[in-house]
Amino acid sequence: MAKSKTTLKINGMICEHCVKTVTKALEELDGVKKAKVKLKKGLAKVAYDSDKIGVDGLIAAVVKAGYEANA
Ligand SMILES: [Cu+2]
């Protein structure tokens, strides 16, 4: 268990539904403890276990959900 935190820049979110979609996409991942997504700032704060998943994996999940993400 290696507790890590990161903030991703998310592009493409336009409403609260998008926020829920991105939050769910992140929190469904094995190793993600918590995702806090802010619509206005276009940011996602993610608490995760870096033994299980990396930033690349987090970004891939957001992209798969239909949004752009950058570390
Ligand atoms: Cu939306």
Side-chain angles (χ1 to χ4, degrees):
M1 178 78 190
K3 281 186 187 175
S4 298
K5 275 185 184 173
T6 191
T7 302
L8 302 176
K9 179 90 186 82
I10 313 284
N11 288 320
M13 296 192 297
I14 54 168
C15 69
E16 284 302 322
H17 184 82
C18 301
V19 170
K20 279 184 188 159
T21 303
V22 172
T23 303
K24 188 164 173 277
L26 289 166
E27 289 190 340
E28 272 177 357
L29 296 169
D30 187 29
V32 172
K33 192 170 173 252
K34 183 100 193 141
K36 269 195 173 181
V37 181
K38 300 278 186 194
L39 177 63
K40 281 185 185 169
K41 290 182 179 174
L43 296 175
K45 285 189 176 178
V46 189
Y48 64 104
D49 178 355
S50 57
D51 284 342
K52 290 190 174 176
I53 194 160
V55 171
D56 289 355
L58 303 176
I59 289 173
V62 174
V63 170
K64 201 178 162 195
Y67 303 90
E68 245 181 67
N70 296 286

